[in-house]
Amino acid sequence: MIREDEGYFFGLGAFETIAVEYGKPVWADRHLRRLAEALTFLGIDRTGGEINDALEAALEDPRLQQGRYALKLTISEQNILTAIRPNPYDRQTVESGFVTAFSSVRRNETSPLVFRKTLNYGDCILEKRRAAALGVDEPVFLNTRGEITEGAVSNVFFVRNGSIVTPPVSCGLLPGIAREVLMERCEIREEILRPEDAAICEEMFLTNSLMGVMPVRRLGSHTFAGTETGMRLASEFRELNSGVFRASSGGSAEAPSVDAR
């Protein structure tokens, strides 16, 4: 039973969605670290032991041993909740690629809540639903200055002149776990980007903990020339999640190398 608290009334709580691959949580330590930081920011006093116990109990669910799932861990002042659902992203989805479009809703880069995964998630959910009704897989937000920030449930990357670029966190976005992992393994430049910049890029792809890397075919009216980098990184992320990741060696401008540290 959910207890009434400031999480219930005002959205003062945090959550993490952890991919579980055949019983194995992916990047759980990173998720728990980010969750702890958000709880500290919100002034919610929860011990690591409480949260770990809840996670371990949820991982005992026999369904998780049979496939690819998402485990959601939600924390507020008086509640620790877990929920399980199938991972909606499969290889066929990756091969098809996403269609994206700019949202008319702006990210508020001055709000500290933008940079944390809190229960203040209404803009993302409502825009995701509105986009789906229009046949769009993922809406992409601009901030109040007209700069590209992130997707509703993803971080955004572009390939321009063979190099990978992504908006800096200061533009007003959640620093995702998959984004963090990718930036540790690839040569990626953070750069302020506007819609006109995206229109001259060769590729675009998205990341989050469930999809890994998702190639994008189209952003609004602009169709990208290819999806080669996104497809390659998607394949490498699948191997990473299954524990058999191997580094790409050498590399080139067209295929930035990945360093498995």
Side-chain angles (χ1 to χ4, degrees), residues 98-101 135-136 204 216-224:
F98 264 17
V99 171
T100 63
V136 172
M204 175 182 176
V216 172
R217 292 186 287 111
R218 180 161 53 88
L219 173 59
S221 61
H222 176 67
T223 298
F224 292 97

Side-chain angles (χ1 to χ4, degrees), residues 106-170:
R106 295 295 178 108
R107 276 285 187 257
N108 178 8
E109 71 279 2
T110 70
S111 170
L113 297 174
V114 167
F115 306 101
R116 297 169 174 89
K117 200 157 189 173
T118 74
L119 302 185
N120 286 266
Y121 215 65
D123 280 351
C124 296
I125 299 302
L126 292 176
E127 282 303 284
K128 188 79 171 173
R129 291 174 181 172
R130 187 186 70 83
L134 298 173
V136 172
D137 298 297
E138 178 78 336
V140 175
F141 293 104
L142 306 178
N143 63 17
T144 64
R145 300 187 296 259
E147 301 160 349
I148 297 172
T149 62
E150 62 182 349
V153 298
S154 65
N155 291 116
V156 301
F157 295 80
F158 297 91
V159 179
R160 186 177 61 195
N161 297 325
S163 298
I164 303 176
V165 295
T166 192
V169 174
S170 59

